[in-house]
Amino acid sequence: MSTHASDPLAALGSLPGVADSVDSVRKAVDRVYGHRVMRRRSNEITGEAALRGARGSAALSGADWALEEVRRRTDFSGDDEARTVGAALRLGAECGQLLSIWRQSPLRVLARLHLVAEGDPRDTTGRPRQAGEPVVEPLIEAPLPDPAEVSGRLDGLADLIIAGGNAPALVTAAVVHGELLALRPFASHNGLIARAAERIVLVGSGLDPKAICPAEVGHAEQGRAAYVAAFEGYLSGTPEGVGAWIAHCGRSVELGVRESTAVCEALQRGAA
C-alpha cells in the first residue's frame, strides 16, 4: 500500500481538511437519523438508499441510468450496461450480510463481493488477478500494480482492518475505497467493489448502522471527472492529495445524507 496508508489510519485524521470533514459528516448523519420519519419507516429509507446507491455506483462505472429505470427493470442480463447495473444492485443487497465477517476476514469479503458482482462465475472470479490477465475498469486508467504488489498491499490493508484502531470511520472507508481502486485486484467490477467496501466500513463502524447514507449517490452527483481527480490525489500519496480524497468521500456521504433526507421528507408528505 502507498506510503500514506502504511501509517496508522488514525494519523490521517490530521491531514489538511480531514478533521473538518469528519465533523461535518458526523453532524449530517446525526441530523438524518434524528428525522421523525426514521422512527417509523427506517426500513423504507434503507431500501431506497440501497437502490439509489446502486444506481450511483453503476453510473460511475459507465451505466448512468435513470433511477426509475433501475427501479422498473427486472432483467439485467442484456448488454454491458444492464449487467453493470445488475452487479451494483446485487452488491448493495449483499453488503449487509457481510458486516460480521469484514472485521475478521476482509479478503474473504472482497472475494465474495467479486463473486456476487460477476453473477456467473468464471475462472477469474473471486480471486486476485494473475500476471497477464486483463482488467476491465472503464473509469480508472492509472497504471496497474503487478500481482505481487497487489497481494502485499491487500494483506497490509487487511491487517489494518483487522487491527482496528481509533481512526474515524470516514478515514478508514476512504482509504479502503482508494486502495481498492488503486490496486484493481480483480479482473472486473473493481470500482463497484471498492464503493461497496466503502459502504461496509461506514455501516459496520456504527457511523451509518442502518445504511441510509449512500456515499455512492454523492460520488455520482459530484461527477466522474471530480471522482477521478480526487482519486489521483490519493494516488499521489501527498498529504494534500490524500486529504482531498478523504474530504471528497466525506462530501459524498453528506450528499447521500441529503438524498435520504429528501426521501424522508417525501414520505412525510405522503408523496413516496
Side-chain angles (χ1 to χ4, degrees):
M1 133 178 341
S2 307
T3 55
H4 61 268
S6 64
D7 298 328
L9 290 177
L12 299 181
S14 63
L15 291 177
V18 171
D20 289 343
S21 184
V22 168
D23 185 56
S24 181
V25 166
R26 167 52 70 188
K27 289 177 179 177
V29 172
D30 285 347
R31 283 195 299 271
V32 72
Y33 270 85
H35 196 287
R36 59 190 298 180
V37 170
M38 281 296 297
R39 292 195 294 270
R40 298 175 286 109
R41 306 177 72 173
S42 65
N43 287 344
E44 293 173 70
I45 309 301
T46 296
E48 194 65 21
L51 182 73
R52 295 175 185 229
R55 193 217 73 81
S57 191
L60 287 171
S61 287
D64 191 1
W65 288 15
L67 179 64
E68 291 311 312
E69 176 65 10
V70 178
R71 196 190 305 278
R72 180 188 68 81
R73 286 282 284 266
T74 57
D75 181 7
F76 298 95
S77 62
D79 58 17
D80 287 346
E81 285 195 8
R83 287 191 289 272
T84 295
V85 174
L89 288 166
R90 290 192 300 273
L91 286 170
E94 186 74 9
C95 284
Q97 311 302 314
L98 299 172
L99 296 173
S100 63
I101 305 171
W102 175 255
R103 286 295 295 271
Q104 284 74 43
S105 185
L107 299 185
R108 181 180 161 199
V109 168
L110 293 175
R112 174 64 184 170
L113 290 175
H114 190 238
L115 177 65
V116 168
E118 282 282 279
D120 296 322
R122 59 189 75 186
D123 290 346
T124 57
T125 301
R127 63 160 175 79
R129 56 185 168 82
Q130 298 173 1
E133 291 180 342
V135 174
V136 178
E137 184 52 52
L139 184 58
I140 304 302
E141 298 179 351
L144 280 169
D146 64 43
E149 183 179 353
V150 169
S151 178
R153 287 170 65 175
L154 279 177
D155 286 344
L157 183 63
D159 289 345
L160 284 174
I161 293 165
I162 292 167
N166 297 317
L170 172 63
V171 170
T172 303
V175 168
V176 167
H177 184 170
E179 198 66 8
L180 292 174
L181 278 185
L183 296 178
R184 279 149 289 159
F186 301 108
S188 62
H189 300 306
N190 289 289
L192 294 177
I193 290 167
R195 292 183 288 275
E198 178 185 52
R199 172 183 284 255
I200 288 172
V201 173
L202 293 171
V203 174
S205 67
L207 177 65
D208 179 23
K210 294 184 183 293
I212 61 166
C213 307
E216 306 96 321
V217 167
H219 287 303
E221 186 171 331
Q222 293 184 85
R224 300 177 92 199
Y227 183 77
V228 172
F231 170 64
E232 288 174 351
Y234 178 86
L235 276 183
S236 74
T238 65
E240 295 77 14
V242 178
W245 168 251
I246 296 171
H248 181 89
C249 291
R251 179 60 179 156
S252 296
V253 176
E254 291 184 66
L255 290 170
V257 167
R258 188 176 72 179
E259 186 89 353
S260 288
T261 301
V263 172
C264 287
E265 295 293 333
L267 288 172
Q268 186 168 286
R269 294 192 305 269

